[in-house]
Amino acid sequence: MENRKKVAFYTLGCKLNFSETSTIARNFQDEGFDRVEFEDVADIYVINTCSVTENADKQFKQIVKKAIKKNEKAFVAAVGCYAQLKPEELASVDGVDLVLGATEKFKITDYINDLSKNDMGEVHSCEISEADFYVGSYSIGDRTRAFLKVQDGCDYKCTYCTIPLARGISRSDTLENVLKNAKEISQQNIKEIVLTGVNIGDYGKGEFGNKKHEHTFYELVKALDNVEGIERLRISSIEPNLLKNETIEFVSQSRTFVPHFHIPLQSGSDDILKLMRRRYLRHVYTERVAKIREVMPHACIGVDVIVGFPGETDEHFLETYNFLNELDISYLHVFTYSERDNTPAAEMDGVVPMNVRSKRSKMLRGLSVKKRRAFYESQIGTTRTVLFEGENKEGYIHGFTENYVKVKTPWNPELVNTLHEINLTKIDEDGIVRMEFVNQPVESISISGEL
């Protein structure tokens, strides 16, 4: 058995990438490879790349260096979004042997016949128009929650975004297959499933290879709610124009879906939303938040926002800042706009200087801290359910409530991957919430602790 090859993975970017890395890893294991940690010596290192942030590009080179340092003879493969957009650029990085684009990444084991190092990375990337078939995937084994991919690609043409170029047209998994994957996950003692995709609200389009919507996102949510053995389902990011009232109402009554929404806004100025070619104006966003608050006052609402988009004046930025300041939301993910090749925004006038972009970003990050604090304070004194995670952080175990409040309690390995009813008591100096068990599980823990 000594001659079994070892493979290690590194994932950059989003939850969708994590789910796809897991699927690729399982393909390797089916082919007789042993999966090891990226820090270990491996025969093959696979890096799943991202094109969304500027840093992802720079990080890639550092990760390749790290792999080669572990084993200079290792075979290094780059897959994913950046590999699709700029294959030659990745192939020219020292140490890279293989670059696979959007359609090839799931067939990676077919390309690895001999593991001899190449002088120059070999590129297999398709015309993105060929990325029209769907590969289902989900990630398990590395945490208390699983990421379940239900959709891929995007038909929206936002002017700043390369994802349609990197992932192709919008297409969905069949409802049957999503439910099958969800059942498989539920049988592995995983307590929470996060639904992911590029544009999950568009679920159902292309389910059977055509452009029709066979099912809607709402129907998907209703069907998943009936899968036995799943304790929690969480919707990841969903476009405001695709988050319908019927879905919000269903989640508020649901057995498994948690009261947590992450809804990209990108700008609080209608002028900028139009330049971005987003598919809604800000009044739609206001309505969505109001609807969620009406049926789930305790829900957590996260917001994506981009600062420094071309043409964003100080007035536009203040419109966004004031809009978010007044909106009853829980936290922000702030992105500083960065130019991307082959996107209309990169050609636009009104370029915002870098120092202005970073100042605006800092202001919104400060607002996010304030929003999260206010949200946590509103939850003190309430009873929630927490799912504990698996890491010992300076003597504490952390977890998240159903409405995404981060809590901590002294470390106890027995609590890992378990759900408990708790009272939220106070916010600690580090901003994390302290808690008390409603039914202190001490007896069971101390007994099993002695065994």
Side-chain angles (χ1 to χ4, degrees):
M1 291 301 280
E2 274 310 291
N3 57 3
R4 278 169 74 99
K5 297 281 185 206
K6 294 185 172 65
V7 61
F9 297 87
Y10 198 105
T11 306
L12 290 159
C14 63
K15 295 176 174 127
L16 182 57
N17 273 3
F18 277 97
S19 77
E20 292 183 343
T21 299
S22 279
T23 296
I24 294 167
R26 286 195 290 278
N27 294 344
F28 269 98
Q29 284 162 318
D30 293 344
E31 297 282 336
F33 288 83
D34 288 330
R35 182 177 182 176
V36 296
E37 293 299 318
F38 201 82
E39 285 63 41
D40 299 337
V41 175
D43 301 288
I44 302 173
Y45 292 93
V46 178
I47 304 165
N48 195 353
T49 63
C50 165
S51 69
V52 172
T53 61
E54 202 57 68
N55 296 347
D57 313 0
K58 300 188 186 83
Q59 275 177 295
F60 177 75
K61 287 179 179 156
Q62 292 162 348
I63 296 158
V64 173
K65 263 193 198 135
K66 211 160 125 186
I68 297 299
K69 206 169 166 185
K70 282 284 168 203
N71 177 6
E72 60 182 29
K73 294 193 178 73
F75 189 91
V76 177
V79 301
C81 290
Y82 196 41
Q84 174 66 36
L85 289 174
K86 302 211 170 162
E88 275 73 23
E89 200 172 295
L90 292 194
S92 66
V93 172
D94 258 5
V96 174
D97 300 293
L98 179 66
V99 179
L100 297 181
T103 61
E104 289 79 13
K105 63 188 169 196
F106 294 107
K107 301 180 287 201
I108 182 169
T109 51
D110 300 348
Y111 290 101
I112 300 181
N113 303 324
D114 75 272
L115 296 183
S116 52
K117 298 289 288 171
N118 298 325
D119 293 340
M120 173 79 183
E122 203 182 302
V123 173
H124 297 274
S125 81
C126 64
E127 285 304 311
I128 197 61
S129 58
E130 292 166 24
D132 59 359
F133 58 88
Y134 185 85
V135 178
S137 55
Y138 60 86
S139 75
I140 52 176
D142 45 0
R143 51 191 90 193
T144 46
R145 61 180 64 91
F147 298 121
L148 171 59
K149 173 181 162 185
V150 300
Q151 183 275 342
D152 202 348
C154 188
D155 292 340
Y156 287 7
K157 299 285 187 283
C158 301
T159 52
Y160 51 81
C161 186
T162 55
I163 287 184
L165 300 172
R167 283 185 170 271
I169 59 170
S170 177
R171 54 210 188 272
S172 307
D173 205 348
T174 61
L175 188 58
E176 189 188 352
N177 198 48
V178 172
L179 295 174
K180 178 178 90 59
N181 283 342
K183 285 190 185 97
E184 279 177 23
I185 294 168
S186 73
Q187 285 156 8
Q188 312 216 19
N189 193 28
I190 285 171
K191 302 284 193 281
E192 181 174 308
I193 294 178
V194 183
L195 303 184
T196 78
V198 174
N199 186 358
I200 64 172
D202 203 25
Y203 175 79
K205 185 188 279 182
E207 193 181 332
F208 296 102
N210 52 25
K211 272 298 182 193
K212 288 217 305 275
H213 262 91
E214 296 296 328
H215 293 98
T216 61
F217 183 69
Y218 175 54
E219 288 168 335
L220 170 74
V221 165
K222 283 202 302 190
L224 280 166
D225 200 45
N226 292 323
V227 176
E228 278 177 34
I230 300 173
E231 303 274 353
R232 274 185 182 183
L233 281 154
R234 201 178 288 275
I235 298 168
S236 65
S237 191
I238 183 164
E239 294 283 305
N241 51 308
L242 295 173
L243 176 58
K244 304 290 190 231
N245 284 347
E246 58 185 6
T247 304
I248 295 171
E249 278 165 11
F250 182 80
V251 168
S252 75
Q253 314 281 315
S254 158
R255 179 181 70 86
T256 52
F257 277 90
V258 295
H260 175 204
F261 295 88
H262 193 92
I263 315 166
L265 168 68
Q266 311 311 17
S267 175
S269 158
D270 283 347
D271 292 346
I272 300 297
L273 288 172
K274 286 172 189 168
L275 284 175
M276 290 175 164
R277 281 199 213 139
R278 300 292 286 157
R279 300 215 175 179
Y280 53 87
L281 294 174
R282 73 186 217 170
H283 72 89
V284 172
Y285 203 92
T286 311
E287 286 160 18
R288 291 299 173 271
V289 171
K291 180 67 187 174
I292 293 167
R293 287 280 166 249
E294 178 200 325
V295 295
M296 288 171 274
H298 61 296
C300 180
I301 303 174
V303 183
D304 285 344
V305 61
I306 295 171
V307 296
F309 188 80
E312 184 185 65
T313 61
D314 286 347
E315 289 73 25
H316 289 134
F317 173 69
L318 284 174
E319 246 187 291
T320 296
Y321 187 93
N322 294 331
F323 179 65
L324 288 166
N325 194 23
E326 287 157 27
L327 206 58
D328 192 357
I329 50 136
S330 317
Y331 64 90
L332 304 171
H333 279 173
V334 184
F335 298 90
T336 305
Y337 172 75
S338 64
E339 283 77 3
R340 283 278 171 264
D341 291 347
N342 303 318
T343 58
E347 311 296 315
M348 284 181 183
D349 297 335
V351 173
V352 179
M354 276 302 181
N355 62 328
V356 176
R357 292 184 210 184
S358 64
K359 184 177 148 201
R360 289 176 186 172
S361 171
K362 203 176 269 180
M363 280 176 72
L364 282 182
R365 291 203 169 110
L367 180 61
S368 181
V369 170
K370 196 177 98 174
K371 287 283 183 188
R372 193 185 299 267
R373 177 90 193 186
F375 174 61
Y376 280 8
E377 279 172 358
S378 76
Q379 296 303 299
I380 298 301
T382 62
T383 301
R384 299 280 171 238
T385 304
V386 65
L387 171 60
F388 286 110
E389 313 220 319
E391 220 179 319
N392 182 344
K393 291 183 181 163
E394 294 169 6
Y396 287 94
I397 186 168
H398 291 172
F400 284 94
T401 62
E402 66 276 34
N403 61 340
Y404 216 55
V405 174
K406 190 174 190 181
V407 304
K408 68 179 195 182
T409 196
W411 170 254
N412 185 330
E414 299 283 328
L415 293 174
V416 172
N417 196 31
T418 60
L419 286 148
H420 295 275
E421 213 179 340
I422 56 160
N423 292 321
L424 303 179
T425 54
K426 63 171 189 157
I427 302 176
D428 222 349
E429 303 84 77
D430 57 7
I432 299 171
V433 178
R434 298 299 288 255
M435 45 148 283
E436 288 167 353
F437 290 99
V438 170
N439 302 308
Q440 176 66 24
V442 164
E443 301 78 16
S444 61
I445 287 167
S446 55
I447 292 165
S448 52
E450 285 164 16
L451 293 176

